[in-house]
Amino acid sequence: GGEMASLVLATSSTIDNIAAFYEKAIKSNKWEVTVRNRDSEYAEWRLKKGDKEEGGVTVRRNPDQRGMIIQISRNSKLEEQK
């Protein structure tokens, strides 16, 4: 068992600005980056914090409009009850 949260955002910001923001946020919140991918229209971070938390941030060009789509997810495992 556990908890999951997911969020989708749209922005007119550039991928460079978005990537800089998330690089700083990931580091300051002490997440470990397990996967990092980046090109001119796509960025992805797969994250881990300890044994109980996983997450991810994916940024991609919005195909229907100008701007970028940001998808954020987080999974937390609950403590086992004895």
Side-chain angles (χ1 to χ4, degrees):
E3 296 177 349
M4 187 206 151
S6 181
L7 180 64
V8 178
L9 307 165
T11 181
S12 60
S13 188
T14 67
I15 194 158
D16 291 332
N17 289 340
I18 297 165
F21 173 84
Y22 282 104
E23 287 286 345
K24 185 177 178 181
I26 289 165
K27 185 177 180 179
S28 68
N29 287 286
K30 299 181 176 26
W31 284 89
E32 174 188 346
V33 177
T34 59
V35 174
R36 178 184 284 121
N37 293 304
R38 170 92 195 275
D39 66 27
S40 63
E41 294 190 3
Y42 179 83
E44 173 188 31
W45 298 265
R46 293 288 154 225
L47 309 167
K48 180 180 173 182
K49 190 184 275 189
D51 293 334
K52 294 189 172 41
E53 295 186 77
E54 296 179 347
V57 178
T58 303
V59 182
R60 62 181 166 74
R61 183 153 308 281
N62 185 340
D64 298 332
Q65 303 171 5
R66 298 188 333 171
M68 306 299 283
I69 298 290
I70 303 168
Q71 294 176 286
I72 303 168
S73 63
R74 182 174 181 168
N75 299 308
S76 298
K77 297 176 186 173
L78 296 177
E79 295 273 340
E80 290 186 26
Q81 300 290 326
K82 294 184 179 186

